Amino acid sequence: MILAHRGQWREYPENSLAAINEAIEDGAEVVEIDVQLTADGVPVLMHDTTVNRTTNGKGKVSDLTLAQIKNLRLKEGLGGNTAALTKHKIPTLEEVMLAVKDRAIVNLDKGWEIRDKMYAVLVKTDTVDHGLFKGSPNVEEPAEFMAK
């Protein structure tokens, strides 16, 4: 299978809806994304624990509300100090799952600790069969999670 890491970040900001859609258009069957929780408990796409590298904002994702996150703009590609700002915004996991539905599998990285929140989004969007949960649990944790 063809897998795109953080979407097509060479053409669009990493973990953006545009990067995910472009990766699928380019032939990716699996798109790896990174998920963090906002202060108000909403799963959003962000690799780092802070928004500093990839946006025009500063601070921890976990200290910012969804409204604050949605006011930020993503930087080009992998971000950094010299990357230009784009019109793209940080997507929620729900927005992403609706966009990939019936098009690709999503490798849910950086989210094992928030698996219940992510699973709830997959149930809500009818995309449970589109999600691969990634983490470093012991054998018992995934078995317990799957049994629920």
Side-chain angles (χ1 to χ4, degrees):
M1 298 183 91
I2 299 169
L3 187 133
H5 187 250
R6 300 183 207 166
Q8 178 47 287
W9 58 262
R10 286 170 180 84
E11 295 180 34
Y12 296 98
E14 71 174 48
N15 280 315
S16 66
L17 276 175
I20 292 164
N21 283 323
E22 185 65 26
I24 295 168
E25 291 298 316
D26 287 350
E29 300 161 284
V30 181
V31 179
E32 181 267 353
I33 61 172
D34 305 289
V35 184
Q36 305 279 341
L37 275 187
T38 63
D40 44 352
V42 179
V44 296
L45 271 60
M46 183 62 54
H47 177 271
D48 304 352
T49 57
T50 71
V51 298
N52 301 8
R53 176 178 61 86
T54 57
T55 76
N56 61 332
K58 297 263 187 254
K60 291 182 179 180
V61 176
S62 61
D63 290 341
L64 301 169
T65 64
L66 180 60
Q68 291 170 311
I69 289 281
K70 284 298 191 177
N71 281 326
L72 301 176
R73 289 173 38 207
L74 289 166
K75 293 181 181 178
E76 288 181 335
L78 297 174
N81 292 335
T82 60
L85 281 179
T86 70
K87 65 179 180 181
H88 300 282
K89 305 278 187 166
I90 298 169
T92 65
L93 179 58
E94 183 175 342
E95 290 168 336
V96 169
M97 296 313 296
L98 290 171
V100 303
K101 190 172 184 173
D102 299 325
R103 298 173 61 215
I105 295 170
V106 175
N107 177 357
L108 300 158
D109 199 5
K110 303 241 181 239
W112 181 251
E113 297 302 317
I114 59 169
R115 61 192 172 274
D116 290 328
K117 292 258 188 193
M118 292 192 307
Y119 184 77
V121 170
L122 272 59
V123 168
K124 180 179 180 183
T125 57
D126 193 28
T127 57
V128 171
D129 61 344
H130 291 57
L132 297 174
F133 288 79
K134 185 176 175 184
S136 301
N138 58 32
V139 174
E140 293 79 21
E141 285 179 352
E144 181 182 307
F145 178 62
M146 292 298 290
K148 286 196 282 185

